[in-house]
Amino acid sequence: MKQNVFTILLVSPASPPQWMPTDIQLIWQSGLEVVPSEKIHLLMVDLQASPQVIQQARSVFPLCPTIILGDSAAQASCLSLELPLEHFEGFTPQLYQRLLMLHQQHLELNDAINQELNNLNLQLLQNGTEDFYSTLVECAVHLVPGAQAGSLIGVDPDGHYTFKAAQGYDLPGLQRIRFAPHQVIGAENEVPRASRLLRFREFNAGRLDPEIESILRSSGRIDEIQVSLSTQVRVHQKLAAILNLENFDSEEAFTSESVRIAESFADRAALLMQRYMLEWQVQERAQRYKLLSELSAKIETLIQPSEVAETALETLIQLTGYDLFAYYERLAHGWQLQAYRHAVPLPFDPTLLMNVNLQDFERLPRSVMAREVLDIPDFQQVVNPSPDLHQLGLKSVLLAPVQVQQKVMGVMVLCTLSEHREASRNEVQVVRFILGRLQNAFERRTYLEQVESTREATLRTLGLALEYRDFETKGHTDRVVDLCERFALRLGLPEEDRTFLRWGAYLHDVGKIGIPDSILLKPGKLTPEERLKIQEHTLIGAEICMQMPLLPEATRDVVRSHHEWWDGSGYPDQLLAEQTSLLARIFTIVDVFDALTTERPYKEAWSIPTTLVHMEKLAGKQFDPALLPVFIDLICDLYGVSRVP
């Protein structure tokens, strides 16, 4: 066959006329079950054929100019050029000339579109997906006769529509809008497709709520639009975006040629958009994995579930489309807010979140107690909320319970405040990933609490064992531990310091295990040699504590230095003033107070007022002069006594 033969494929249930020029090859088929091997220059589809044929033809010949035959042919979508040809009367010379002209126009149009899209494709290769949509709109405005401005509205994973790019308008303002499908002109997934030419008086047509209309009017020359051309962009026959082009001068600015070029551009751009969407999905997936990997690494260093939740909520803001994120933990007295974050300004006082009654959620058919992620697209319809929950105005809610050993220990609550939505599969996967990390944090905290409890009990047992050996100090350990905790709280010490002080109180006399009974249990007065010997218990205790690698230095200091004096006359190291650690100086005061106010074999118990007067005289000598007044105030408050005996 000659290379310059113009080949037409006719798909029709009726056979074609017999006349045909010699330089035209006509292939006639009643359907497309078999695809011709020849290169097809023009496709003609008879609408009397099966309705599926036109869709099949677009799939098999995506770049072939197409003419639809029929008495009432409707313009439809393909990836090139598609025009109705009514009153088909056979292949006459006039039709032949028209086909040749049509083919030439198609080639010229393809050249122009290809040049623009090739430039866009080059940009995509060089710069990635950044500004792809914006450049696409710029190309369309440049190519389509009559276009002065334009925008691209894309379909999000949740089915809503948002502005992806705009030329001639304020894009940041437009991006605040999320359209439901029924609010978007041209969002109908019709087959065949029809582009829309809308005069401005038809622009809104009552589809938009006042808030969206207000944003539109404040984002550019919306009120000046004379005509708008809306064209669908389809990927694999599914609506992916809507290309809107506008003219501000005349209602007649867009001709049939404008529509034809806009459709051809949209269909060819769909191929590039498909690639862009794949690129974006890869980048989006990589970003999601990066954020989750960073989150996983960070929370491995955290112990408290509330700390994990705070970190996780920051990630959820970046990876989900919700507005408000809160984490509640189930305590003995009920649910308590541990952390919250918000992606938009809150229309209520954030302190209201502390009073939310999560029992409303427990009444759901599949409640928090069902231990599963629960998506509630329309919260007010499913839940009859209590007044404190109702005033928050929640639209959609995603509940994610945290369970440990078959018990619900906490719950993450993700909410929208302005619209209803369903959670996407990716969002649910992200939430479940974070739930797993929260569960790990609970298990880690439970394990550490068990270890801590075991260590605490072991240290206390050591202290009590010494009491059984040294009967004169019965109850001394528990008393000084309790008073140290109260004193430390009065001083405002952090929890870690209070813990280290408590451990020091348990072990402060552990060195007495190395003191002979003849000295330790002697009822009478000790000789100077015996007193020096008993002073060695601080060094023995410090040596024993060195064999306990889990004990911090602050605890070992309490054991070694609790007999040091402020003026440097104590033992074993004669430390002066603040050379003795703070915790050791605190314990010195508590230890002496308990020793003076309890009965010993060699003395009677002193009254509390007498003890306080005596200790006050030793401020700056034996005791830290800054700490002692705080301790005296504490004792007066605890026992309701005065310093004067």
Side-chain angles (χ1 to χ4, degrees):
M1 185 176 61
K2 297 180 180 180
Q3 294 298 320
N4 61 349
V5 171
F6 188 78
T7 304
I8 300 173
L9 173 62
L10 173 64
V11 181
S12 172
S15 61
Q18 296 299 316
W19 177 87
M20 181 61 55
T22 57
D23 54 351
I24 292 181
Q25 179 188 18
L26 177 65
I27 301 175
W28 168 61
Q29 295 183 178
S30 60
L32 283 174
E33 288 76 12
V34 178
V35 179
S37 59
E38 293 88 344
K39 179 180 179 180
I40 304 302
H41 296 90
L42 180 68
L43 176 66
M44 304 184 74
V45 180
D46 191 341
L47 287 184
Q48 299 178 40
S50 172
Q52 287 77 21
V53 171
I54 184 63
Q55 299 301 320
Q56 190 178 4
R58 293 178 190 135
S59 176
V60 176
F61 303 101
L63 300 180
C64 184
T66 304
I67 293 180
I68 297 175
L69 307 176
D71 292 335
S72 58
Q75 210 167 335
S77 165
C78 75
L79 291 178
S80 58
L81 177 65
E82 193 162 313
L83 293 174
L85 187 61
E86 300 182 8
H87 309 297
F88 176 63
E89 298 176 353
F91 291 93
T92 64
Q94 292 78 13
L95 175 60
Y96 171 56
Q97 292 300 323
R98 182 174 179 183
L99 296 181
L100 291 179
M101 182 181 65
L102 183 63
H103 182 60
Q104 184 61 35
Q105 290 175 350
H106 169 70
L107 294 178
E108 293 173 357
L109 177 60
N110 272 355
D111 287 342
I113 293 177
N114 283 340
Q115 183 177 353
E116 293 288 347
L117 295 182
N118 286 339
N119 292 336
L120 183 58
N121 187 41
L122 181 61
Q123 176 183 314
L124 185 60
L125 290 173
Q126 293 175 340
N127 304 327
T129 58
E130 184 177 1
D131 297 330
F132 170 80
Y133 283 138
S134 297
T135 308
L136 192 66
V137 173
E138 290 176 10
C139 292
V141 172
H142 173 71
L143 276 174
V144 177
Q148 295 175 330
S151 63
L152 191 73
I153 300 177
V155 185
D156 291 337
D158 62 1
H160 284 76
Y161 291 76
T162 54
F163 282 93
K164 304 301 181 184
Q167 182 177 354
Y169 305 107
D170 174 32
L171 181 59
L174 294 175
Q175 287 179 326
R176 294 160 49 199
I177 302 174
R178 283 170 55 84
F179 295 104
H182 71 275
Q183 295 176 307
V184 180
I185 298 172
E188 302 84 354
N189 213 358
E190 297 175 347
V191 179
R193 176 191 68 182
S195 294
R196 309 287 183 100
L197 275 175
L198 298 172
R199 278 52 177 179
F200 184 70
R201 59 180 176 271
E202 304 166 335
F203 185 71
N204 187 355
R207 291 171 178 243
L208 304 180
D209 60 41
E211 182 179 358
I212 291 179
E213 186 175 356
S214 174
I215 296 175
L216 284 173
R217 294 183 183 279
S218 65
S219 299
R221 302 167 62 187
I222 303 296
D223 286 327
E224 300 178 38
I225 295 175
Q226 296 299 310
V227 64
S228 175
L229 170 58
S230 176
T231 303
Q232 292 184 344
V233 181
R234 297 192 185 189
V235 175
H236 295 310
Q237 298 303 323
K238 292 184 179 179
L239 181 62
I242 300 169
L243 176 64
N244 295 306
L245 301 171
E246 285 83 36
N247 183 278
F248 304 108
D249 298 331
S250 170
E251 290 188 352
E252 308 301 327
F254 292 128
T255 64
S256 59
E257 179 74 2
S258 302
V259 175
R260 184 169 68 90
I261 294 176
E263 289 189 343
S264 187
F265 176 84
D267 291 333
R268 296 293 299 279
L271 296 175
L272 198 55
M273 184 178 292
Q274 180 182 358
R275 175 178 175 182
Y276 164 79
M277 292 169 67
L278 291 175
E279 291 268 357
W280 179 85
Q281 289 172 4
V282 170
Q283 292 182 10
E284 190 270 342
R285 188 178 294 113
Q287 176 66 8
R288 184 168 70 249
Y289 288 157
K290 178 177 180 289
L291 289 173
L292 292 178
S293 177
E294 291 174 349
L295 172 66
S296 183
K298 186 173 183 179
I299 63 181
E300 287 300 323
T301 65
L302 305 175
I303 296 176
Q304 295 299 329
S306 58
E307 296 175 333
V308 175
E310 287 184 4
T311 303
L313 295 186
E314 294 288 351
T315 302
L316 285 173
I317 288 179
Q318 302 178 65
L319 294 180
T320 70
Y322 287 86
D323 302 324
L324 172 63
F325 310 82
Y327 171 70
Y328 292 85
E329 193 166 318
R330 196 174 196 181
L331 305 178
H333 60 276
W335 295 96
Q336 180 174 319
L337 178 68
Q338 298 291 334
Y340 76 92
R341 294 289 187 274
H342 49 92
V344 299
L346 297 181
F348 53 81
D349 186 346
T351 59
L352 293 176
L353 294 171
M354 302 178 65
N355 302 320
V356 169
N357 181 10
L358 292 190
Q359 291 180 353
D360 289 334
F361 297 134
E362 296 180 8
R363 295 197 302 267
L364 293 171
R366 293 187 299 124
S367 68
V368 171
M369 311 315 297
R371 308 185 186 98
E372 59 184 91
V373 176
L374 181 59
D375 185 20
I376 311 174
D378 192 341
F379 179 71
Q380 301 291 337
Q381 291 294 324
V382 176
V383 180
N384 183 19
S386 54
D388 58 343
L389 192 57
H390 179 76
Q391 63 182 321
L392 300 183
L394 307 182
K395 302 297 184 183
S396 300
V397 174
L398 184 67
L399 296 176
V402 183
Q403 56 177 321
V404 179
Q405 297 178 350
Q406 302 302 313
K407 292 183 179 179
V408 175
M409 306 297 293
V411 61
M412 284 193 301
V413 185
L414 286 67
C415 314
T416 62
L417 302 173
S418 60
E419 64 178 5
H420 298 97
R421 70 188 303 272
E422 293 184 5
S424 69
R425 187 176 71 171
N426 283 342
E427 288 173 331
V428 173
Q429 288 176 341
V430 168
V431 168
R432 284 178 174 157
F433 172 86
I434 292 175
L435 283 180
R437 296 304 178 272
L438 277 170
Q439 180 176 329
N440 291 342
F442 267 107
E443 292 173 346
R444 187 163 57 246
R445 185 180 72 173
T446 301
Y447 170 75
L448 291 176
E449 286 176 348
Q450 292 172 348
V451 171
E452 184 74 18
S453 177
T454 301
R455 178 163 53 184
E456 192 93 4
T458 300
L459 298 179
R460 180 173 181 271
T461 299
L462 283 174
L464 295 177
L466 293 170
E467 291 186 9
Y468 281 99
R469 181 167 180 249
D470 184 9
F471 295 105
E472 80 220 37
T473 60
K474 184 71 173 176
H476 173 66
T477 299
D478 286 340
R479 289 195 301 272
V480 295
V481 167
D482 177 69
L483 196 50
C484 278
E485 183 71 16
R486 295 174 184 271
F487 192 9
L489 285 171
R490 180 63 66 97
L491 292 170
L493 296 188
E495 182 179 358
E496 184 179 62
D497 286 345
R498 300 201 306 270
T499 298
F500 295 163
L501 175 60
R502 187 170 63 252
W503 293 350
Y506 284 136
L507 298 174
H508 72 282
D509 278 341
V510 69
K512 287 183 178 179
I513 198 170
I515 306 300
D517 288 350
S518 58
I519 298 176
L520 186 64
L521 303 179
K522 183 177 179 179
K525 187 176 181 180
L526 298 177
T527 66
E529 293 78 12
E530 291 172 335
R531 184 168 297 279
L532 289 174
K533 185 66 177 177
I534 205 168
Q535 288 179 3
E536 293 179 4
H537 82 279
T538 56
L539 296 175
I540 297 172
E543 182 63 29
I544 292 173
C545 289
M546 288 294 292
Q547 308 307 312
M548 302 180 186
L550 294 180
L551 282 183
E553 183 180 0
T555 295
R556 296 197 298 269
D557 286 344
V558 172
V559 174
R560 183 183 182 97
S561 304
H562 67 281
H563 283 292
E564 298 287 356
W565 283 38
W566 181 262
D567 63 3
S569 61
Y571 65 88
D573 302 307
Q574 292 78 51
L575 300 178
L576 178 65
E578 293 184 356
Q579 291 179 346
T580 303
S581 70
L582 173 62
L583 299 188
R585 301 200 308 272
I586 291 172
F587 183 77
T588 296
I589 296 174
V590 173
D591 190 38
V592 170
F593 175 81
D594 186 79
L596 293 177
T597 55
T598 55
E599 183 180 356
R600 300 293 174 90
Y602 50 85
K603 74 168 194 63
E604 297 290 333
W606 290 15
S607 68
I608 291 177
T610 300
T611 300
L612 296 181
V613 169
H614 173 75
M615 293 180 69
E616 199 166 30
K617 292 177 182 179
L618 294 175
K621 180 175 176 60
Q622 183 176 2
F623 307 118
D624 184 332
L627 293 177
L628 186 63
V630 179
F631 178 78
I632 291 175
D633 289 341
L634 172 66
I635 295 300
C636 292
D637 292 341
L638 287 175
Y639 296 99
V641 298
S642 170
R643 303 182 190 185
V644 181

